[in-house]
Amino acid sequence: MGEGGAGEGQGAAVDEATGFEVGIVVPKLYRGAAAGCGEVENCVARLVRELEDVGLIVERVRGVPAEFIKLSAPMGTLGRVAAEMNMKKLTYIGMELQFEWDQVGAFVRQPDGSLFSWRERFACFRHLIYSIVNKTDSDITLSFDDKEFHWTQNESLLTRLEDEGIVKLVFPLHDEIKRKQLLRSWALKWFDFTWQPIDEIYSYFGTKIAIYFSFLGMYTRWLFFPAVFGLATQLIDFGSLQWLVLPAFFFFVISWAVFFLQFWKRKNSAVLARWGINYSFSEYKTMGNELDPLSFSMADDNVQQRKFGAPKEKSIVQRNEWFGVLLRIRNNAIIVLAIICLQLPFELAYAHLYAITKTEALRYVLTAVYLAAIQYYTRIGGKVSVTLIKYENNQGEQSSADSLVYKVFGLYFMQSYIGLFYHASLHRNIMALRQVLIKRLIVLENLIENSIPYLNYSYKKYRAVQPIQRCKKSLPSCSKKKHEKESPAGKSVRLSTRVEKEYLKPSYTASIGEELEDDFLELTLQFGMIMMFACAFPSIFCFAALNNVTEIRADALKLLVMLKRPAPRDAATIGAWLNIFQFLVVMAICTNCLLLVCLYDEEGKWKIEPGLAAILIMEHALFLIKFGFSHFVPEEPAWVKANRGRYVAQAQNVCSKQLLRSIAKLDAKLE
């Protein structure tokens, strides 16, 4: 064991403990079967005993829809599990090293002062509960209600209970103290507009959600600049210079988008550096065991074997690489054909019906029906995309997630923009285009998005309570009295505990798949609308800014009140979504040039020939701005780059010493 500072740090860490952060859901028994039948042990009781034996703090809660097992862990238990998992954590010299509990003082703590992040704690919980196995020399017979089954040797107890349908769900629990603090300082703090406690969000929800809200806050703040300019173009008469206003606004918007994406990269790197994620020893982690002194072979024949096997391994890797490329091309072709053959006619039919419908009320009804119907179509397409991803030779989880993002965005791109292109290019009806933008951006999509989680929760709560109420009506009088003791006042069945209310809430998952986040999808679709049709409706940036101010607080309320606490996911950047944002900037240059041609030709300001020439010059100039300005703003602040360089130098020094010692030992052994 370590002495001095490390020992003191360890002693302080031992005193820490988490709240109840994980819940396990099992069916509720209405009769005395908790102890099992005869000599056969009840499986839930055995699970609780095993959980306590591995060091967890367990609390059982008997609710209306089910029984809940709440889990907490002392910090010593989490530290022991982290060491067993060979978890890598950041140290104070900037290197990520394998966690050792007796050297806890060497590892960097989180922004809230805790030793482990939420992602690390949840990983430790899952490792603990799923690593409970039958270590005896024989099978163990367990029971639940009238059902008996065997727990075989070296089998995970929790996995077996899930297979038997006894464990319904394992899910993260909200920490009530921290949840209420975030409600006060974040979700209900409307007067601060875009300000958010990003560090607290990171500590409570993890990297993925914190990065999303950091991006949303910055995006909303930056929207105020084009919103003011766009509103001015609509309200102020510039007289003889009016014909220059829209081209100037167009130049401004493209420049704004380019600088926004560049400054987001800077902010992203700065935020990660503040959380310690950016200081990881990533350059050397990718090399795997090559830097591990123990990985060096101590025998010449092994070295020769690796030497002669290298060309064969290289050919296998290259073949797998190109095979994966061909699979992705095939799957992308399937998605494109599905869009052209199935979705395109549907979208054009809606756009045509909308154009010929005269009554505004009927247009709202038509749009509502369209949005409801397209949800199911797109969900089917998304599930097909998820299935296709499984047959791709993607390198890692992030590569699969990026591939899914591109496919699903293609589906939503067609759904969201084909009607707008129809009005802009074929009909040249700018007023109709503006009305469609308002309906989609502000009214219908926000109503659907914000009402569905509440309706889902209400429906699940109704379904959970109704069987209990029917059961009460059918029980004999003596049983009714017993049941009324469990339900205060005996008047109605109510969800009285926090854990059962959380269980019935919808999960924070996308409707397509766990790899895809609906929030970034929504932001990219909004960004595409306001950018690609900026010249047709400059004040749309005002609507987008107001929408996002509301979106920040509405999403916070959904996360803290209406949804289960999300399982943490590790993501340092917004990933493939950044490429999609940049693609939409390029698309915006093309579509707005087309809109300017339509607008000025319609108003008779330009003839079509000089107008086209001017638009082509403008288009090339904007492409130059897009790709030129991207290099003017460094992607990292200078202090982040300096710190990373210093830490990499320290890491190189440490690894060089390890390698030299290993080579010296190898040389001594060979002599």
Side-chain angles (χ1 to χ4, degrees), residues 108-114 117 198-200 202-203 274-276:
V108 175
R109 288 183 170 261
Q110 301 300 308
D112 62 350
S114 60
S117 67
I198 295 298
D199 289 344
E200 287 79 2
Y202 162 73
S203 298
R274 191 167 72 239
W275 296 339

Side-chain angles (χ1 to χ4, degrees), residues 100-166:
E100 296 289 345
W101 179 239
D102 58 349
Q103 300 295 331
V104 65
F107 296 94
V108 175
R109 288 183 170 261
Q110 301 300 308
D112 62 350
S114 60
L115 179 61
F116 296 104
S117 67
W118 166 227
R119 181 187 64 82
E120 293 167 340
R121 294 198 306 274
F122 190 69
C124 289
F125 272 109
R126 289 188 62 87
H127 178 81
L128 263 179
I129 62 180
Y130 280 98
S131 62
I132 297 174
V133 297
N134 181 4
K135 297 180 180 179
T136 64
D137 297 331
S138 60
D139 296 350
I140 298 175
T141 303
L142 300 174
S143 69
F144 185 82
D145 205 353
D146 295 329
K147 181 179 182 180
E148 292 187 4
F149 59 92
H150 295 285
W151 179 23
T152 59
Q153 298 179 52
N154 298 319
E155 181 183 24
S156 170
L157 177 57
L158 196 69
T159 302
R160 182 54 190 250
L161 294 181
E162 287 178 334
D163 294 340
E164 295 290 337
I166 297 170

Side-chain angles (χ1 to χ4, degrees), residues 182-408:
L182 282 173
L183 272 174
R184 289 192 297 268
S185 64
W186 178 33
L188 301 178
K189 209 166 186 178
W190 289 88
F191 57 86
D192 279 345
F193 294 109
T194 62
W195 181 87
Q196 301 174 91
I198 295 298
D199 289 344
E200 287 79 2
I201 296 171
Y202 162 73
S203 298
Y204 190 72
F205 289 113
T207 311
K208 189 78 173 180
I209 291 178
I211 287 293
Y212 163 70
F213 279 102
S214 179
F215 180 87
L216 177 58
M218 179 177 174
Y219 172 48
T220 305
R221 286 192 295 274
W222 276 63
L223 274 175
F224 287 115
F225 297 105
V228 172
F229 195 168
L231 193 61
T233 62
Q234 299 288 101
L235 299 180
I236 300 175
D237 184 8
F238 292 91
S240 60
L241 298 178
Q242 188 69 35
W243 66 278
L244 286 175
V245 172
L246 281 181
F249 178 70
F250 183 24
F251 267 95
F252 173 80
V253 165
I254 297 300
S255 303
W256 167 85
V258 172
F259 279 115
F260 162 67
L261 294 176
Q262 285 300 113
F263 275 96
W264 160 249
K265 295 176 186 177
R266 288 176 60 86
K267 181 179 177 64
N268 193 180
S269 62
V271 166
L272 294 176
R274 191 167 72 239
W275 296 339
I277 298 173
N278 200 14
Y279 295 157
S280 66
F281 196 29
S282 57
E283 290 86 352
Y284 293 92
K285 282 171 63 180
T286 56
M287 298 172 65
N289 292 331
E290 292 179 354
L291 291 177
D292 188 355
L294 298 178
S295 67
F296 287 93
S297 175
M298 307 300 291
D300 292 334
D301 55 344
N302 290 337
V303 174
Q304 293 296 325
Q305 184 178 359
R306 271 196 293 181
K307 181 178 179 181
F308 289 114
K312 183 178 180 181
E313 294 176 1
K314 180 180 178 181
S315 64
I316 293 174
V317 170
Q318 288 180 339
R319 185 171 65 248
N320 291 338
E321 177 188 7
W322 286 107
F323 182 67
V325 171
L326 292 175
L327 286 176
R328 284 192 290 273
I329 293 174
R330 182 204 65 180
N331 294 344
N332 292 337
I334 292 174
I335 296 297
V336 170
L337 287 174
I339 291 173
I340 295 174
C341 299
L342 299 176
Q343 192 170 6
L344 182 60
F346 180 78
E347 299 290 345
L348 290 175
Y350 160 72
H352 178 70
L353 289 174
Y354 186 93
I356 64 175
T357 302
K358 302 301 181 183
T359 309
E360 197 65 26
L362 288 178
R363 285 183 172 180
Y364 272 97
V365 173
L366 178 63
T367 306
V369 172
Y370 161 77
L371 289 175
I374 202 64
Q375 293 293 325
Y376 292 98
Y377 175 84
T378 311
R379 186 172 301 178
I380 294 172
K383 292 186 182 300
V384 171
S385 300
V386 173
T387 303
L388 291 174
I389 292 297
K390 297 177 182 178
Y391 297 98
E392 292 183 358
N393 191 19
N394 290 305
Q395 301 298 318
E397 180 183 348
Q398 187 60 44
S399 177
S400 298
D402 291 346
S403 181
L404 178 63
V405 164
Y406 294 132
K407 290 177 176 59
V408 174

